[in-house]
Amino acid sequence: MKRDAQVQWDALAQSKATRLARATHVTQGKLVDAQKMTSLLEAVLEPGDRVCIEGNNQKHADFLSAALAKVNPQAVHDLHIVQSNIALPQHLDIFEKGIARKLDFSYSGPQGVRMAQLIDADKVKVGAIHTYLELYGRYFCDLTPRVCFIAAQSADRDGNLYTGPNTEDTPAVVEATAFKNGIVIAQVNELVERVPRVDVPADWVNFVVRAPKPHYIEPIFTRDPAAITEIQILMAMMVIKGIYAEYGVTRLNHGIGFDTAAIELLLPTYAENLGLRGKICTHMSVNPCPTLIPAIESGFVQSIHSAGSELGMEAYVAARPDIFFTGPDGSLRSNRVFCQLAGHYSDLFIGSTLQVDMQGNSSTATKSRMTGFGGAPNFGCDSRARRHTSDAWLKAGREASSSSAHAMPRGRKLVVQMVETFGEKMQPTFVERLDAWDLMHKFDLALPPVMVYGDDVTHIVTEEGIANLLLCRDEAEREQAIRGVSGFTAAGLARDERMVETLRARGAIRRPEDMGINPLHATRDLLAARSIKDLVRWSGGLYDPPKRFRNW
Amino acid sequence: MKRDAQVQWDALAQSKATRLARATHVTQGKLVDAQKMTSLLEAVLEPGDRVCIEGNNQKHADFLSAALAKVNPQAVHDLHIVQSNIALPQHLDIFEKGIARKLDFSYSGPQGVRMAQLIDADKVKVGAIHTYLELYGRYFCDLTPRVCFIAAQSADRDGNLYTGPNTEDTPAVVEATAFKNGIVIAQVNELVERVPRVDVPADWVNFVVRAPKPHYIEPIFTRDPAAITEIQILMAMMVIKGIYAEYGVTRLNHGIGFDTAAIELLLPTYAENLGLRGKICTHMSVNPCPTLIPAIESGFVQSIHSAGSELGMEAYVAARPDIFFTGPDGSLRSNRVFCQLAGHYSDLFIGSTLQVDMQGNSSTATKSRMTGFGGAPNFGCDSRARRHTSDAWLKAGREASSSSAHAMPRGRKLVVQMVETFGEKMQPTFVERLDAWDLMHKFDLALPPVMVYGDDVTHIVTEEGIANLLLCRDEAEREQAIRGVSGFTAAGLARDERMVETLRARGAIRRPEDMGINPLHATRDLLAARSIKDLVRWSGGLYDPPKRFRNW
């Protein structure tokens, strides 16, 4: 039984104490002057540190991130950044300068092209691309941050934080850091005597800085109804009548594109006429998207839990506490962890994608961009840890059941891809081979970056119809079901017409007319709101859209 | 565009205000006298309310639960209880008395038999049996509590709560309730001037009661090494050499039986001799099980995040902050949500079960008990939302890859069932048909209650060897691989000898000798600790086992 008396068991705590001691030269107590932030970071950071920068898909600790980009790379270098969303130029500046070197992340929308270049130039070494929950899980396993930067609305003198409606990832990031003797640094928009509610307790926070301007926040969930096309309306009708009504889908998650916005705007009109109020779309895991307003006001949607908030929706959410999760201060309490969990175990996910192959695998990765998938893979997969049943889930499971007498029965999550056969710039959505394969080779990844795997997808909806992959019994049938809704893309034209008709005969492919939908009825008149202004009206003036969405 | 001016959007907030107003007759402010608790509950509860009772697999809000059992069933009835773990008699008393009627839960170990009787007598109507994360997810979707009862170590006058090492489910339960205008009632062991750290902020809490005695807590993770058998040691050797070493498993979750305790106690001896320190078992998602002490002291396990704590491990954990997640007060910060997440996305789960069928489906449900599975299904399933790679995960994925040229490559989680061929009272573990089927019929369930589905299982380890199901190419091969390690059970004797030998020839079945393991070497001498007292010694006296585990 050997034990080494020399082993140190509190190296992290000791190192934290040393770092905090170094910081006393820069600051007194928790409050830090904005102008001294770079000095503070030089005092508390050490080369090779794992640093978590709060960059959700909306809220960003942008001031801290910019301060990090100004540290002396001689003193602070080779950081390992763990971050949900790489969205701002300074997120990559630190790699350009050698301050950071390794990166584990989830999503990199607009910075995807530059990131690809930096990887090429060997400035960024990517650990992995994750889904959100997966990345948070690793914060409590092998990617625990040494230091984290977070953003909040306000703080009191003790360091209690108020995040307001955008709590998002903050609790997960802080908990992982604070309880492994890491250092938590918060930027806030204002210092107050008393925070309206405590979203993060003071004793979890080491430093607070009032940033010169409010933290960056992106309104990524706002879709202008004016841009919704009649093709999208037709697809939305098919989804409502051919999927939501058929399976009785009450609990679900919507992606954030115009396709799903169209569904939301048809609930008070088309779905209402079908007598579906109270029968579909009652419980959602989704941000407060403005296009949900008419469905809420009409009594369709009864409860919404959100991962984050949406700019302009503050007053509306505060006035609808029966629908949203709100605090005693009246504002939304969002939390990406719980929203992702609720959505993961719900009955349906529907979203769009850029490419779908003939096995139903889909990806938003394209040749020149190193992007990621955020929450879609988690919402858009069959949860094998689910044990509770629902009618929708059981029906999907019955449809999928194999012919084997031995097979253990089980339900299935409905995972729907809703895409037009041709996307932007008339690029075909349906392809024989995903660009993800090229990306794998280019960036030396172990696997192609797939967003939703084909064997998790249950339905593909296009303007041509719905392919129900649950009803396909082998790989060949799945392929033809997909080709059978791929329209005039090369993949669609390569269909086996006879097999497609066989699949249609048994409902594995359904055309609009098979569902009693007349495409001529798919007009913008069906939209409950046809403009942002209509949404404001539906909200009784509570919705206050960001300036760039106002054209009146 | 129709809108109803009469619609009320703050019914929950109004109802909460009404309830709180009724409570002012019973109490002033947040503090409630223990003797008035039943009156308080009668004031704030209404028939049909959904009530979440904190009953984790360790910590229980037992005083509040007992107070609920004393309310007047004329006034408070037909409650819908949502609760992780049904463990105490009073949890079922409320159903017996008609105070509660519907139940959604995760696990019901010792109360399983009585629960079955109450279901039979139509006193309990079960909504569903969930996994932990699934149930928490529904708290934010369609099972949001109206009132919750939670347990903490201490509270200050404002209502800030300190959970100490057993934070467990508390944050999830409170967040779901507090932010949907529900009422949060906390029982605490003591009232203090200032809590050692804030685990739940005061403004999330409505009432605090100092319970007459400390909340109930169960030491369910303590396994006495004295009870570990040589068969378990042999199986542990196979797991270490045949699975952990082969795949290079660094991130994993262990079940809580003697089988996995044996693995833990072989790390500093057998695994050390194989040169595996630093190469396996470095990061774990598991409670602070005492049998982990030698592996921690030997430098095997480097980081542990825990769902809850374990009685007697407080001082040891506090002295090992580099290993565990601890707060500024020195004690563990556990959190079942994050532990389950970390484990879900890690590389391996290993646990035991009561029955395994010939497709590899397993269940701990038996004919007379209405039990559940807690966290096992979540740890023990392939995460289809995982996108980051690891060597272990990729190797498992390669082994599983089908022959189809089209198949999208992907990794696989290692899910290992470690069982002796015969269990307690010489009941065969391997069966042609799970008792779960009978349970389904008896309780009118939609599906048999399966703990881990066969298609998620990758390895089955028995004293006869390891079946690697990843290497089986069809249903018949899987069946024979399972029969091939089922020993002298009827299922094992029904094996197709020739097919079993074929499977062995290509490594889908491996006997100890195939791995260079001599069963004669599997002796208790290999255990790093052979008694609870040995564990105390390894801990340098820091581990303080509960009295019932002391025999010296």
Side-chain angles (χ1 to χ4, degrees):
Chain A
M1 202 180 288
K2 66 174 176 175
R3 295 190 61 228
D4 186 346
Q6 305 305 313
V7 175
Q8 192 191 349
W9 296 103
D10 63 348
L12 295 174
Q14 294 293 342
S15 140
K16 179 177 181 175
T18 307
R19 293 161 188 244
L20 294 181
R22 286 199 300 256
T24 54
H25 296 280
V26 183
T27 178
Q28 294 289 326
K30 285 188 183 175
L31 295 187
V32 184
D33 192 287
Q35 294 183 315
K36 293 186 182 166
M37 186 41 70
T38 295
S39 306
L40 180 85
L41 295 182
E42 287 173 346
V44 302
L45 289 170
E46 294 180 3
D49 274 349
R50 191 177 297 122
V51 177
C52 180
I53 300 175
E54 184 168 30
N56 311 317
N57 63 4
Q58 296 186 290
K59 182 178 65 168
H60 287 272
D62 58 340
F63 171 69
L64 293 173
S65 198
L68 180 62
K70 288 184 211 137
V71 299
N72 177 359
Q74 305 300 116
V76 179
H77 49 85
D78 293 304
L79 299 179
H80 177 185
I81 305 295
V82 287
Q83 181 170 2
S84 290
N85 191 357
I86 305 290
L88 308 174
Q90 65 255 37
H91 292 153
L92 290 177
D93 291 348
I94 56 174
F95 291 93
E96 190 107 40
K97 293 180 184 176
I99 296 165
R101 169 119 182 92
K102 193 170 174 192
L103 175 65
D104 277 278
F105 73 110
S106 284
Y107 186 70
S108 72
Q111 298 297 323
V113 174
R114 185 170 164 219
M115 173 146 11
Q117 293 160 349
L118 284 170
I119 295 169
D120 249 357
D122 202 29
K123 291 278 191 182
V124 175
K125 196 175 145 32
V126 172
I129 311 177
H130 306 74
T131 62
Y132 293 132
L133 280 189
E134 179 185 13
L135 186 61
Y136 310 151
R138 292 189 74 188
Y139 291 169
F140 295 87
C141 183
D142 58 338
L143 291 184
T144 307
R146 202 72 200 94
V147 177
C148 74
F149 300 166
I150 56 167
Q153 174 59 33
S154 61
D156 63 21
R157 301 259 141 198
D158 293 331
N160 287 297
L161 303 183
Y162 172 57
T163 58
N166 287 87
T167 308
E168 305 196 51
D169 307 6
T170 314
V173 171
V174 177
E175 179 157 346
T177 311
F179 292 100
K180 201 75 189 260
N181 281 301
I183 295 174
V184 176
I185 307 175
Q187 73 170 75
V188 299
N189 299 343
E190 48 181 350
L191 289 167
V192 297
E193 197 53 46
R194 196 182 159 84
V195 290
R197 76 175 188 235
V198 177
D199 287 293
V200 177
D203 58 10
W204 302 20
V205 178
N206 297 102
F207 297 106
V208 174
V209 59
R210 183 175 173 279
K213 56 179 186 179
H215 60 70
Y216 181 78
I217 192 144
E218 212 175 346
I220 64 170
F221 293 90
T222 301
R223 296 287 170 269
D224 187 341
I228 292 173
T229 65
E230 295 189 339
I231 286 183
Q232 286 165 333
I233 293 166
L234 173 63
M235 295 197 299
M237 292 166 75
M238 289 193 263
V239 168
I240 288 172
K241 197 168 181 189
I243 300 177
Y244 289 5
E246 292 253 332
Y247 293 88
V249 175
T250 54
R251 307 173 308 161
L252 73 166
N253 167 263
H254 272 189
I256 61 170
F258 284 97
D259 302 307
T260 45
I263 299 173
E264 291 156 14
L265 292 172
L266 290 197
L267 291 175
T269 55
Y270 182 71
E272 174 75 33
N273 286 337
L274 293 173
L276 295 173
R277 192 177 1 140
K279 296 182 184 157
I280 63 168
C281 291
T282 53
H283 293 76
M284 299 187 73
S285 304
V286 67
N287 276 31
C289 308
T291 42
L292 281 167
I293 293 172
I296 294 168
E297 296 297 305
S298 311
F300 256 86
V301 180
Q302 295 166 15
S303 180
I304 293 175
H305 185 269
S306 303
S309 187
E310 183 63 0
L311 276 176
M313 287 289 281
E314 297 80 3
Y316 180 75
V317 167
R320 299 290 179 268
D322 284 354
I323 308 294
F324 296 96
F325 283 72
T326 58
D329 62 309
S331 82
L332 187 73
R333 165 82 178 189
S334 60
N335 189 323
R336 186 155 287 114
V337 169
F338 291 120
C339 184
Q340 284 283 337
L341 278 180
H344 181 66
Y345 293 106
S346 76
D347 294 329
L348 178 141
F349 163 76
I350 184 165
S352 294
T353 189
L354 290 182
Q355 286 189 331
V356 180
D357 73 13
M358 294 304 103
Q359 290 74 47
N361 300 297
S362 64
S363 185
T364 52
T366 59
K367 291 180 196 189
S368 56
R369 295 195 318 165
M370 188 59 164
T371 179
F373 312 120
N378 180 64
F379 289 135
C381 73
D382 190 39
S383 172
R384 306 181 76 83
R386 175 172 169 170
R387 292 295 179 273
H388 79 281
T389 64
S390 69
D391 292 343
W393 185 78
L394 287 170
K395 178 177 162 75
R398 281 193 305 272
E399 289 186 347
S401 69
S402 78
S403 48
S404 162
H406 293 301
M408 182 59 70
R410 144 181 234 183
R412 268 292 290 271
K413 180 167 193 173
L414 295 161
V415 175
V416 184
Q417 295 283 342
M418 185 182 185
V419 289
E420 294 180 48
T421 52
F422 287 90
E424 269 179 44
K425 296 182 189 162
M426 284 307 279
Q427 289 295 306
T429 303
F430 293 91
V431 295
E432 300 292 336
R433 189 173 174 278
L434 297 178
D435 283 356
W437 287 97
D438 297 322
L439 212 62
M440 173 179 81
H441 295 301
K442 182 167 176 188
F443 293 115
D444 201 22
L445 306 173
L447 300 173
V450 170
M451 181 165 75
V452 175
Y453 282 87
D455 48 7
D456 280 320
V457 176
T458 62
H459 295 77
I460 296 176
V461 183
T462 72
E463 71 274 17
E464 203 185 356
I466 299 178
N468 180 344
L469 304 184
L470 292 167
L471 296 176
C472 298
R473 288 291 163 258
D474 59 30
E475 222 176 67
E477 287 192 0
R478 283 173 68 86
E479 179 181 332
Q480 290 305 324
I482 296 170
R483 291 192 195 274
V485 296
S486 298
F488 293 101
T489 61
L493 294 173
R495 71 185 63 176
D496 173 336
E497 288 288 0
R498 217 176 50 184
M499 198 157 166
V500 164
E501 280 317 304
T502 309
L503 289 169
R504 186 177 170 188
R506 66 170 212 249
I509 292 176
R510 295 169 86 195
R511 308 291 177 208
E513 56 268 36
D514 302 338
M515 294 174 257
I517 294 171
N518 183 343
L520 296 177
H521 295 168
T523 67
R524 284 181 45 83
D525 291 345
L526 275 184
L527 295 175
R530 271 157 250 156
S531 65
I532 292 278
K533 200 166 185 177
D534 280 353
L535 293 174
V536 175
R537 239 182 261 127
W538 268 101
S539 78
L542 291 165
Y543 172 44
D544 179 27
K547 215 172 263 169
R548 63 161 136 145
F549 291 105
R550 292 170 179 273
N551 54 5
W552 62 91
Chain B
M1 201 181 290
K2 68 176 172 174
R3 296 189 59 227
D4 185 347
Q6 304 304 314
V7 175
Q8 192 189 350
W9 295 103
D10 63 348
L12 296 173
Q14 294 293 342
S15 141
K16 178 178 182 174
T18 306
R19 293 161 188 245
L20 294 181
R22 286 198 300 256
T24 55
H25 297 281
V26 182
T27 179
Q28 294 289 324
K30 285 188 184 175
L31 294 187
V32 184
D33 192 288
Q35 296 182 315
K36 294 186 181 165
M37 186 42 69
T38 295
S39 307
L40 179 84
L41 295 182
E42 287 173 344
V44 301
L45 288 171
E46 294 179 3
D49 273 349
R50 191 178 296 124
V51 177
C52 180
I53 299 176
E54 184 169 30
N56 311 317
N57 63 2
Q58 297 187 288
K59 182 179 66 168
H60 286 274
D62 58 339
F63 171 71
L64 293 173
S65 199
L68 179 62
K70 290 183 212 139
V71 299
N72 177 0
Q74 305 301 115
V76 179
H77 49 83
D78 293 303
L79 299 180
H80 176 185
I81 305 294
V82 288
Q83 180 169 4
S84 289
N85 191 358
I86 306 291
L88 308 173
Q90 65 255 37
H91 292 153
L92 291 177
D93 292 347
I94 55 174
F95 291 94
E96 190 106 42
K97 295 181 183 175
I99 296 165
R101 171 118 182 91
K102 192 170 174 193
L103 175 65
D104 277 278
F105 73 111
S106 284
Y107 186 70
S108 72
Q111 299 297 324
V113 175
R114 184 169 167 221
M115 172 146 12
Q117 294 160 349
L118 285 170
I119 294 170
D120 249 358
D122 202 28
K123 291 278 191 181
V124 175
K125 195 174 145 33
V126 172
I129 311 177
H130 306 75
T131 61
Y132 293 133
L133 279 189
E134 179 185 12
L135 186 59
Y136 310 151
R138 292 189 74 188
Y139 291 169
F140 294 88
C141 181
D142 58 339
L143 291 184
T144 306
R146 200 72 200 96
V147 177
C148 74
F149 300 166
I150 56 168
Q153 174 58 35
S154 61
D156 63 20
R157 301 258 141 199
D158 292 332
N160 287 297
L161 302 183
Y162 172 56
T163 59
N166 287 87
T167 307
E168 304 195 53
D169 307 6
T170 313
V173 171
V174 177
E175 180 157 347
T177 312
F179 291 100
K180 199 76 190 258
N181 281 301
I183 294 174
V184 176
I185 307 176
Q187 73 171 76
V188 299
N189 300 343
E190 47 179 352
L191 290 167
V192 296
E193 196 53 46
R194 197 182 160 83
V195 290
R197 75 174 189 235
V198 177
D199 288 293
V200 177
D203 58 11
W204 302 20
V205 178
N206 297 102
F207 297 107
V208 174
V209 59
R210 183 174 172 281
K213 56 179 185 179
H215 60 70
Y216 181 78
I217 191 145
E218 212 175 345
I220 63 169
F221 294 92
T222 300
R223 295 287 170 268
D224 188 341
I228 292 174
T229 66
E230 295 188 341
I231 286 184
Q232 286 164 334
I233 293 166
L234 174 62
M235 293 198 300
M237 291 165 76
M238 289 195 263
V239 168
I240 288 171
K241 198 167 179 188
I243 300 177
Y244 290 4
E246 291 253 333
Y247 293 88
V249 175
T250 54
R251 307 173 307 161
L252 73 167
N253 167 263
H254 272 190
I256 60 169
F258 285 97
D259 301 307
T260 45
I263 299 172
E264 291 156 14
L265 293 171
L266 290 195
L267 291 175
T269 56
Y270 182 71
E272 174 74 32
N273 286 336
L274 292 173
L276 296 173
R277 188 171 9 134
K279 294 180 184 158
I280 63 168
C281 291
T282 53
H283 292 75
M284 298 188 72
S285 305
V286 67
N287 277 30
C289 309
T291 42
L292 281 167
I293 294 172
I296 294 168
E297 296 297 304
S298 310
F300 256 87
V301 179
Q302 295 166 16
S303 180
I304 294 176
H305 184 268
S306 303
S309 187
E310 182 62 0
L311 276 177
M313 288 288 281
E314 297 80 2
Y316 179 74
V317 167
R320 299 291 179 265
D322 283 354
I323 307 295
F324 296 96
F325 283 71
T326 59
D329 62 311
S331 82
L332 187 73
R333 163 83 179 190
S334 60
N335 190 323
R336 187 155 286 112
V337 169
F338 290 121
C339 184
Q340 284 283 337
L341 279 181
H344 180 66
Y345 293 105
S346 76
D347 293 329
L348 178 141
F349 163 76
I350 184 165
S352 293
T353 190
L354 291 182
Q355 286 188 332
V356 180
D357 73 12
M358 294 303 104
Q359 291 73 49
N361 300 297
S362 64
S363 185
T364 53
T366 59
K367 292 181 193 183
S368 57
R369 295 196 318 165
M370 187 59 163
T371 179
F373 312 119
N378 180 62
F379 288 135
C381 73
D382 190 40
S383 172
R384 306 181 76 83
R386 174 171 170 170
R387 293 294 179 272
H388 80 281
T389 65
S390 70
D391 291 344
W393 185 78
L394 287 170
K395 179 177 162 74
R398 282 192 304 271
E399 289 186 348
S401 69
S402 80
S403 48
S404 163
H406 294 300
M408 182 60 70
R410 142 181 235 184
R412 268 292 287 270
K413 181 167 193 172
L414 295 162
V415 176
V416 184
Q417 295 283 341
M418 186 182 185
V419 290
E420 293 180 49
T421 53
F422 287 90
E424 271 180 43
K425 297 181 189 164
M426 285 306 280
Q427 289 296 305
T429 303
F430 293 91
V431 296
E432 300 292 336
R433 189 171 173 280
L434 296 179
D435 282 356
W437 287 98
D438 298 322
L439 212 64
M440 173 179 82
H441 295 302
K442 182 167 176 187
F443 294 115
D444 201 22
L445 305 174
L447 300 174
V450 170
M451 181 165 76
V452 176
Y453 282 87
D455 49 6
D456 279 319
V457 176
T458 62
H459 296 76
I460 296 176
V461 183
T462 72
E463 70 275 16
E464 204 186 355
I466 299 178
N468 179 344
L469 305 184
L470 292 167
L471 296 177
C472 298
R473 288 291 163 259
D474 58 33
E475 224 176 66
E477 287 192 358
R478 282 172 69 87
E479 179 181 332
Q480 290 305 323
I482 296 170
R483 292 192 193 275
V485 296
S486 298
F488 293 101
T489 61
L493 294 173
R495 71 184 64 175
D496 174 338
E497 289 287 359
R498 218 176 49 182
M499 199 157 166
V500 164
E501 281 316 305
T502 308
L503 289 168
R504 186 175 171 191
R506 65 169 212 248
I509 292 176
R510 296 168 86 194
R511 308 291 177 211
E513 56 268 35
D514 302 339
M515 293 174 257
I517 293 171
N518 183 344
L520 296 177
H521 294 169
T523 68
R524 285 181 44 83
D525 291 344
L526 275 185
L527 294 176
R530 271 156 247 156
S531 66
I532 292 279
K533 201 167 185 178
D534 280 354
L535 293 174
V536 175
R537 240 182 260 127
W538 267 101
S539 77
L542 291 165
Y543 172 44
D544 179 27
K547 216 173 262 169
R548 64 160 135 147
F549 292 105
R550 289 169 180 274
N551 53 4
W552 64 91

